[in-house]
Amino acid sequence: MRERFWERFALEELTAAEWEALCDGCGQCCLLKFLDDDSGDLAVLGVACELLDIHSCRCSDYTNRQARVPDCERLTPERIAEFHWLPKSCAYRRIAEGRKLAGWHPLLSGDPERVHRKGISVRSFAISEREVAEDQLDEHIIAILPIKS
């Protein structure tokens, strides 16, 4: 990877490896979300995709995730503007908005556990969708986000 690539190149110019390296490992993008068609708001649940390893906050089958979970949203540089719901701490969002990486980010700190110690990851609160009945999902809403049109 190129040195400090996130400061020197636009997201669209990153290699696949550099794009993947931007992921801070928080797992927040793997939380279930439901769009309210009436209000246009997005409900974020404290329930993670069945493929998320909640301890590592990494997908347990990243290569095949979209085949196994058809609703899995693939974050790409070309589509980053569509993902208004990414947390403000997300490296993809930060870079897209012209902000710097947070000091705790593994690319800066060299410590992939810092995201967990700082309480930014879902490790401390998320449960797997395998543990929640579908009719009880609405009991696990943790945030309502207005979505830009």
Side-chain angles (χ1 to χ4, degrees), residues 56-67:
S56 70
C57 290
R58 298 290 182 176
C59 185
S60 63
D61 192 7
Y62 190 73
T63 303
N64 301 306
R65 69 194 185 283
Q66 291 176 293

Side-chain angles (χ1 to χ4, degrees), residues 11-81:
L11 290 174
E12 297 80 17
E13 298 174 300
L14 301 183
T15 66
E18 289 167 343
W19 174 260
E20 294 297 329
L22 273 181
C23 177
D24 54 39
C26 73
Q28 291 192 48
C29 59
C30 296
L31 294 177
L32 300 186
K33 292 163 265 323
F34 296 113
L35 182 63
D36 182 321
D37 292 327
D38 296 327
S39 70
D41 292 340
L42 192 70
V44 180
L45 285 63
V47 178
C49 168
E50 65 180 286
L51 295 180
L52 185 71
D53 175 325
I54 293 173
H55 180 74
S56 70
C57 290
R58 298 290 182 176
C59 185
S60 63
D61 192 7
Y62 190 73
T63 303
N64 301 306
R65 69 194 185 283
Q66 291 176 293
R68 292 187 56 194
V69 179
D71 292 341
C72 180
E73 291 283 351
R74 186 166 179 252
L75 299 177
T76 64
E78 299 78 23
R79 295 185 62 211
I80 196 69

Side-chain angles (χ1 to χ4, degrees), residues 98-118:
R99 295 185 291 138
K100 295 181 181 238
L101 290 182
W104 49 261
H105 193 284
L107 287 171
L108 295 175
S109 70
D111 181 2
E113 285 297 309
R114 250 180 117 181
V115 66
H116 308 298
R117 287 195 306 274
K118 291 290 242 173

